[in-house]
Amino acid sequence: MPLAPRKAAAHLVEAENADRKNARVVDKIRLALPVELNPEQRAELVRGFSEELTQGRAPWLAAFHDRGKDAHNPHCHLIVRDRDVETGKRVIGTSEAGSTERIRVLWERHANAALEAAGSQAQIDRRTLAAQGVDRAPTIHEGPRAKA
């Protein structure tokens, strides 16, 4: 896949259009990035996670939103073409039972390792508040427009 963002996006669109008749081949994952990490550490976190997720066999593209209005809500849109470059076979299996939990476990492990390496005491937990033993109602995310 090309490294230039516009060329990479065009490559993904072309690949998806070629295979569209068979199945969904591009998966989109939104990742909440730890505010405790700087932009370089966040990029390394996403890179490591993506390479393990795809087993280094499927192309991916990440768009970071962590500046300006997103500085207090850093996140990343990860687009993965779930096809091995050489064989054309699926790599991640996002349609399989248990795939969401498997991806969450992988993200939790990578994010917590990055936080620890950065010297932060913060940790993320993929489980629900009830499963964590936290006795409070979950909050509702309010975007910048709603808060304004």
Side-chain angles (χ1 to χ4, degrees), residues 9-112:
H11 171 81
L12 288 170
V13 168
E14 181 181 317
E16 184 171 19
N17 287 340
D19 291 342
R20 187 73 148 167
K21 63 186 175 293
N22 294 330
R24 181 187 77 240
V25 295
V26 174
D27 291 296
K28 299 167 188 136
I29 303 169
R30 188 178 316 170
L31 303 169
L33 301 172
V35 296
E36 296 84 0
L37 303 179
N38 66 39
E40 292 77 21
Q41 292 167 323
R42 292 178 189 147
E44 187 57 37
L45 165 59
V46 171
R47 187 176 299 111
F49 168 77
S50 300
E51 284 300 310
E52 185 171 344
L53 178 68
T54 64
Q55 302 165 36
R57 298 174 22 215
W60 55 271
L61 176 67
F64 290 84
H65 298 265
D66 60 357
R67 291 179 172 76
K69 67 179 183 176
D70 291 319
H72 298 292
N73 180 29
H75 61 282
C76 169
H77 298 266
L78 179 65
I79 301 170
V80 180
R81 172 153 162 72
D82 191 11
R83 296 282 184 201
D84 183 298
V85 176
E86 294 179 11
T87 66
K89 295 186 179 188
R90 291 190 67 129
V91 177
I92 305 168
T94 53
S95 298
E96 297 172 1
S99 64
T100 300
E101 180 65 10
R102 182 176 47 81
I103 292 169
R104 286 179 176 167
V105 167
L106 182 64
W107 177 250
E108 177 184 55
R109 185 168 49 82
H110 275 266
N112 287 336

